[in-house]
Amino acid sequence: MNDDSTLLVTVTGRDRPGISARLLSTLSVFPVTVVDLEQVVLAGRLVLGTVIDVDEGVAPGVSRGRVFEEIRTALDKTAIDLDMEVEYSAGNGRVKGVGGNRLRVTVLAAPLRPGALSALTSCVARAGSNIERIERLSGYPVTSVEMDISGGDTEQLRAELAMEASTQGVDVAVQASGLQRRGKHLIVMDVDSTLIQGEVIELLAAHAGCADEVARVTEEAMRGELDFEESLRRRVALLEGLDASAMERVRDDIQLTPGARTLIRTLKRLGYECGIVSGGFTQITDGLAESLGLDHSAANTLEVVDGKLTGKLVGPIIDRKGKAVTLEQFATEAGVPLSQTVAIGDGANDLDMLQAAGLGVAFNAKPVVRQQADTAVNVPYLDTIAYILGVTREEIEEADLDDGSHD
């Protein structure tokens, strides 16, 4: 063994309490330092790897080869006692930190196939990046894994992963890694077709008997023939004369997106502040905010006179630009920098907000939104977004147990 080398010790075997402590205790009697250490348990099998070096402050001038040979003998005996396997390999000097950018890549799929993972990891290699760690976050309702990536061409990696994810039919999120991921965060969601299933104005239009007319105006807006404010005012005008009691019936008919309560409950337990911003109506969103325990809420307000809708709106309009402004206001109120905000939406009206946030997530969104957002989630479970934020299925279930409920 080269006298400048380090020693990598890899121990594998059935996991059980005390294994790591026993192995490290064996090393503790030698004049060595721990340069690197990582432990993984997969399907009940433990893999413990540690890189050690001679501590020259304790044993100056000592032969590394001799110390490492004594360590091999001692660890071989310990491994036999523990019914474990141990392997050794020489390293090239002290372990150095990996330079360049550090990224966290999250992959979501149902199911996740080996071929998809192979294609994605090939993207990492082509970008000149290195995978330092892979960890499974969940096995259901989707399978999600998280990879720590270092070095390489970040822009090339993002582009190739996005293209390959589309080809493989999986969702991939690429984020900067670092301590900021564990800081205080704010998450802000769109409401219609994101937090809830369907569109509130279409439900109101059904009660008013003008569903087809509202749908036609919506189509014009989607084709770019109307801006959001004009389309909203034209659709609201069609509701003139509708009895205000219809809003109560709509509130009763609203269905939350699967996983919505779980996502909010989990993130609040982990210290997040949660909010909603909607191009819909406060008569609906205020009740949602109260029932879900949200910290922030903003929407447009329908004018009601003598118990009937007038077909007009009260106050300023929350449109595409207004959603981004509201996100900034919520962040200021929460004391959270925009870099630590997460925005979730599905339509073009959400794009400014998604682009202003530290992380913009397109949730079952239209193609134009998926292309411009930081990441896209195309499974019908809102709580899968927690995995993108590094939350494990175990943490979600723990939040459910503490709350005594589930979606």
Side-chain angles (χ1 to χ4, degrees):
M1 177 174 289
N2 188 307
D3 208 39
D4 292 328
S5 64
T6 54
L7 180 67
L8 168 62
V9 180
T10 306
V11 179
T12 59
R14 182 174 61 86
D15 184 40
R16 53 197 186 279
I19 296 292
S20 303
R22 178 76 180 277
L23 292 166
L24 293 171
S25 176
T26 301
L27 290 175
S28 68
V29 300
F30 296 95
V32 295
T33 58
V34 175
V35 180
D36 201 0
L37 179 69
E38 186 166 352
Q39 177 173 307
V40 177
V41 177
L42 181 64
R45 297 281 295 181
L46 177 144
V47 180
L48 172 64
T50 181
V51 178
I52 56 176
D53 195 3
V54 170
D55 187 345
E56 295 181 353
V58 175
V62 71
S63 167
R64 276 184 168 78
R66 179 178 176 182
V67 172
F68 290 159
E69 196 60 42
E70 292 175 355
I71 287 173
R72 287 172 182 259
T73 301
L75 283 177
D76 284 343
K77 293 179 180 177
T78 302
I80 291 172
D81 290 344
L82 296 174
D83 194 24
M84 305 289 282
E85 297 177 4
V86 60
E87 296 180 358
Y88 309 94
S89 59
N92 296 318
R94 292 184 178 274
V95 173
K96 298 179 180 179
V98 179
N101 298 316
R102 301 182 70 86
L103 299 173
R104 185 70 50 86
V105 175
T106 309
V107 182
L108 307 174
L112 179 58
R113 303 188 187 282
L117 270 182
S118 173
L120 294 171
T121 53
S122 294
C123 292
V124 176
R126 285 196 299 272
S129 303
N130 184 58
I131 300 174
E132 296 187 358
R133 183 186 63 90
I134 301 178
E135 179 183 4
R136 190 200 68 147
L137 297 178
S138 67
Y140 69 94
V142 300
T143 299
S144 60
V145 296
E146 190 174 74
M147 296 185 285
D148 282 342
I149 309 293
S150 62
D153 187 324
T154 298
E155 291 308 312
Q156 178 186 344
L157 179 60
R158 287 180 183 275
E160 290 205 16
L161 284 174
M163 185 177 299
E164 194 61 54
S166 177
T167 300
Q168 297 294 333
V170 302
D171 296 330
V172 174
V174 181
Q175 303 170 69
S177 184
L179 292 175
Q180 69 273 12
R181 291 187 88 228
R182 299 186 179 275
K184 183 179 181 182
H185 281 70
L186 166 71
I187 186 165
V188 177
M189 292 167 277
D190 172 45
V191 176
D192 292 358
S193 299
T194 299
L195 179 69
I196 67 172
Q197 300 180 64
E199 304 282 326
V200 166
I201 197 165
E202 293 179 2
L203 296 174
L204 289 170
H207 285 283
C210 59
D212 290 342
E213 294 92 329
V214 165
R216 277 196 293 272
V217 177
T218 300
E219 283 299 317
E220 289 180 31
M222 291 179 65
R223 291 196 299 267
E225 297 170 10
L226 298 173
D227 66 18
F228 177 80
E229 181 172 348
E230 183 181 357
S231 70
L232 178 63
R233 290 191 184 279
R234 281 181 53 178
R235 286 177 289 175
V236 169
L238 293 168
L239 303 178
E240 181 180 1
L242 179 64
D243 195 284
S245 63
M247 290 188 287
E248 295 179 12
R249 295 195 294 275
V250 167
R251 281 196 295 267
D252 292 339
D253 291 340
I254 283 176
Q255 297 292 319
L256 291 174
T257 298
R261 288 188 185 278
T262 297
L263 175 68
I264 293 167
R265 180 169 57 246
T266 301
L267 294 183
K268 286 184 67 66
R269 180 177 180 275
L270 296 174
Y272 281 67
E273 289 200 13
C274 300
I276 51 176
V277 57
S278 175
F281 314 112
T282 56
Q283 286 90 344
I284 304 298
T285 58
D286 287 352
L288 284 170
E290 182 178 358
S291 66
L292 293 170
L294 300 176
D295 303 289
H296 309 274
S297 176
N300 299 305
T301 300
L302 293 165
E303 184 179 63
V304 178
V305 176
D306 297 329
K308 294 185 180 298
L309 273 63
T310 67
K312 298 178 180 179
L313 295 162
V314 179
I317 300 297
I318 293 182
D319 55 8
R320 175 170 168 167
K321 181 179 179 180
K323 285 191 172 187
V325 171
T326 302
L327 171 71
E328 294 175 4
Q329 292 173 344
F330 289 172
T332 298
E333 293 169 9
V336 172
L338 276 176
S339 62
Q340 290 178 205
T341 61
V342 180
I344 308 169
D346 72 298
N349 192 41
D350 300 310
L351 273 173
D352 286 9
M353 176 176 72
L354 298 183
Q355 291 167 350
L359 176 67
V361 181
F363 180 72
N364 292 300
K366 300 169 181 63
V368 66
V369 183
R370 293 200 302 268
Q371 292 165 8
Q372 296 186 48
D374 295 317
T375 188
V377 171
N378 297 301
V379 294
Y381 311 106
L382 198 60
D383 55 337
T384 57
I385 290 171
Y387 306 138
I388 293 175
L389 305 179
V391 180
T392 66
R393 188 69 210 177
E394 288 72 20
E395 288 173 305
I396 290 176
E397 291 174 349
E398 188 176 348
D400 287 345
L401 288 173
D402 287 350
D403 185 75
S405 61
H406 58 84
D407 268 330

